[in-house]
Amino acid sequence: MELSEADLAACCASRRWIAAVAGQRDLDAVRAVSKRVLDELEWADVEEALAAHPRIGERMRGDAREAGWSRGEQSGMAGAAREVRDALVEGNRAYEERFGHVFLIRASGRSALEMLVDLRERLGNDARTEREVVRRELAEIVDLRLARLGAKENP
């Protein structure tokens, strides 16, 4: 399985991560290297990856693979009550002021209310703890996206 740079960038926008996983020959190897590299990235590289993610509740526009994945991943927002949506907007703002980056959560399989509860809980984290949580969430998102690529390549 040969993954292009565009395929990889749709999974994770960190250039250092892309360079590290490029050239792996099978999905299992890509996923193993990905996990290790995500744990080892400098925080600036994590922030580069975070910059490609929309806020929870905001829909990415466009036809790019990543935009479509993001919309699907945030499908738990569909039908969310207005007060939950408003609370997420407010929570996103508070989170960004506190931590300096977008609130990242694996949205797949989570409802808007579940994401709001997690956001509020994570606002109580110190910066070090939150960075660890962000790395775990990013790793889950990247692995899900890699699995999607593998499923597409190997129907």
Side-chain angles (χ1 to χ4, degrees):
M1 174 171 92
E2 191 80 27
L3 297 176
S4 71
E5 226 177 89
D7 290 332
L8 295 172
C11 295
C12 181
S14 164
R15 289 172 293 190
R16 183 165 289 162
W17 177 88
I18 293 168
V21 300
Q24 300 301 315
R25 294 292 175 214
D26 65 62
L27 185 60
D28 289 338
V30 171
R31 290 170 87 179
V33 171
S34 172
K35 182 175 173 30
R36 180 183 51 77
V37 170
L38 287 169
D39 285 343
E40 297 171 355
L41 287 179
E42 298 291 327
W43 185 249
D45 299 312
V46 173
E47 288 179 316
E48 181 179 33
L50 294 176
H53 289 268
R55 291 176 181 94
I56 293 297
E58 290 183 0
R59 293 179 55 85
M60 281 186 87
R61 299 188 195 287
D63 297 330
R65 178 182 289 154
E66 184 180 0
W69 283 347
S70 179
R71 288 188 296 269
E73 291 163 356
Q74 289 200 37
S75 64
M77 291 297 299
R82 183 84 214 150
E83 50 274 1
V84 172
R85 288 180 177 279
D86 291 346
L88 278 165
V89 168
E90 193 175 301
N92 280 327
R93 188 175 309 117
Y95 182 95
E96 289 176 24
E97 287 174 11
R98 176 154 167 68
F99 296 110
H101 56 80
V102 68
F103 170 69
L104 187 74
I105 188 168
R106 179 196 40 79
S108 293
R110 290 180 169 147
S111 71
L113 186 56
E114 288 172 314
M115 290 185 277
L116 177 60
V117 168
D118 282 352
L119 187 152
R120 287 177 172 164
E121 286 177 10
R122 287 172 54 187
L123 277 168
N125 287 343
D126 60 54
R128 181 174 173 260
T129 300
E130 185 55 22
R131 284 183 175 191
E132 291 171 10
V133 173
V134 167
R135 282 180 187 276
R136 283 194 309 268
E137 295 291 330
L138 179 61
E140 288 181 25
I141 293 165
V142 170
D143 197 57
L144 285 170
R145 290 179 175 187
L146 286 169
R148 285 186 189 116
L149 281 178
K152 182 178 181 190
E153 294 291 324
N154 303 306

